[in-house]
Amino acid sequence: MIVPFSHILLLAGVLFSLGMFCALARRNLIMIVLGIEIMLNGASIAFVGSALHWQQLEGQAFVLFILAVAAAEVSLGLAILLHAFRRTGSFDPEAYNSLK
Amino acid sequence: MTLYGFLFYVLAAVVTASTAVAVTRRNLVHAVVYLIFSYFGTAMLFYLLGAPLLAALEVIIYAGAVMVLFLFVVMMIRVEASGEHFFPLSQWIPAALFSLVYLAAGSVLMLAAPGTEIPLKMLTAAPRDFGLYVLQNHWFFIEVISLLLLVALIGALQLGRKQEGLSREEEG
């Protein structure tokens, strides 16, 4: 016996909102990408918990795909970030205000 | 409360606390290192919830590869540490108020949903069974994922190369 399913959902919700806070409130593009990672992590916990609750392997399979998508997102996101940093010299989103 | 339940609460507290600390750090290296702690805790949670293969992958991919990639980027570039400012307090209060209302409503919903108050039984999906299941039922999506990773690789390479061409044009 572990814990009720609702407690796992609450933990996932708290992690997701922490990530959302990080993605919305920070003025640094690296921290914004980190926030998205934290949100994906919270979603993974919810999926693994529901896989245990309904005793279906689908939830765990989905977490596998979340992992792959997160890896692709981070590699491409950081490449774009470095590209933008070399042009503007800053990680502040407010520095990217010209289309040229 | 059983031993496993106690472990769950301890791990949940550690994961939440280290994530909260990471989110509020101004120094990016500190934030990344705290997040590595958080991901180790999450991996142990996965093991506790019966997903040993996912726990291993979480340590290898998240705590190992992704966070090291972040560390590389942070260390490659000198970031002015104290330039960042948070929002003023007057903008915080309404946002925090709305968030609290949503948090309360969500907690009540989750705790009141039928069938969620029974403690879950320990069950473990053996890595072999899980791998067989994924490759038998979701083999197509594994291929799609591999294509996605290839596209991301090509995109990252292209972004890195194009920049050199651009700067040469600008110099010339």
Side-chain angles (χ1 to χ4, degrees):
Chain A
M1 291 290 184
I2 313 175
V3 289
F5 180 50
S6 51
H7 293 193
I8 299 173
L9 276 186
L10 270 184
L11 171 68
V14 167
L15 272 187
F16 190 89
S17 34
L18 275 175
M20 202 157 73
F21 165 79
C22 187
L24 290 181
R26 296 298 299 258
R27 303 277 183 85
N28 187 321
L29 280 176
I30 293 187
M31 287 308 287
I32 290 175
V33 179
L34 269 182
I36 295 171
E37 289 298 303
I38 298 172
M39 287 160 79
L40 286 172
N41 197 32
S44 313
I45 291 181
F47 269 113
V48 172
S50 39
L52 185 61
H53 184 222
W54 281 285
Q55 305 185 358
Q56 297 266 330
L57 274 177
E58 298 284 340
Q60 294 195 14
F62 211 93
V63 175
L64 201 65
F65 301 140
I66 290 181
L67 273 176
V69 170
E73 171 245 326
V74 160
S75 58
L76 205 51
L78 286 179
I80 293 174
L81 266 184
L82 281 180
H83 186 87
F85 180 80
R86 287 192 191 130
R87 300 207 65 145
T88 61
S90 167
F91 273 134
D92 193 340
E94 288 179 12
Y96 307 133
N97 50 10
S98 71
L99 283 173
K100 164 77 173 50
Chain B
M1 194 160 55
T2 59
L3 174 66
Y4 291 124
F6 178 70
L7 262 180
F8 174 85
Y9 291 119
V10 168
L11 285 176
V14 169
V15 168
T16 314
S18 59
T19 310
V21 171
V23 160
T24 50
R25 287 303 95 176
R26 282 178 192 277
N27 189 326
L28 289 176
V29 179
H30 292 180
V32 171
V33 171
Y34 275 113
L35 264 191
I36 292 177
F37 274 108
S38 160
Y39 282 130
F40 270 113
T42 313
M44 282 183 238
L45 269 184
F46 281 179
Y47 199 95
L48 188 65
L49 296 177
L53 184 64
L54 287 179
L57 284 180
E58 176 95 1
V59 171
I60 294 168
I61 296 179
Y62 262 123
V66 169
M67 287 299 126
V68 169
L69 196 62
F70 271 107
L71 266 188
F72 271 146
V73 171
V74 171
M75 287 177 173
M76 262 170 67
I77 285 167
R78 268 182 282 110
V79 182
E80 59 283 13
S82 59
E84 190 182 348
H85 53 280
F86 287 109
F87 291 112
L89 195 66
S90 58
Q91 293 181 9
W92 271 119
I93 292 174
L97 207 66
F98 292 144
S99 315
L100 277 182
V101 171
Y102 278 140
L103 184 67
S107 319
V108 169
L109 268 180
M110 284 177 202
L111 292 173
T116 57
E117 69 280 353
I118 312 155
L120 298 168
K121 289 199 183 78
M122 270 298 271
L123 263 183
T124 303
R128 187 171 181 276
D129 298 338
F130 176 57
L132 276 177
Y133 174 82
V134 169
L135 284 179
Q136 275 170 357
N137 295 287
H138 299 294
W139 57 271
F140 179 70
F141 300 104
I142 297 283
E143 296 300 321
V144 173
I145 284 293
S146 64
L147 191 67
L148 175 75
L149 287 173
L150 180 69
V151 169
L153 177 69
I154 294 173
L157 274 178
Q158 183 64 23
L159 275 173
R161 277 179 59 195
K162 207 174 164 187
Q163 185 62 31
E164 288 173 11
L166 270 181
S167 60
R168 255 183 240 131
E169 280 168 21
E170 281 166 5
E171 281 165 16

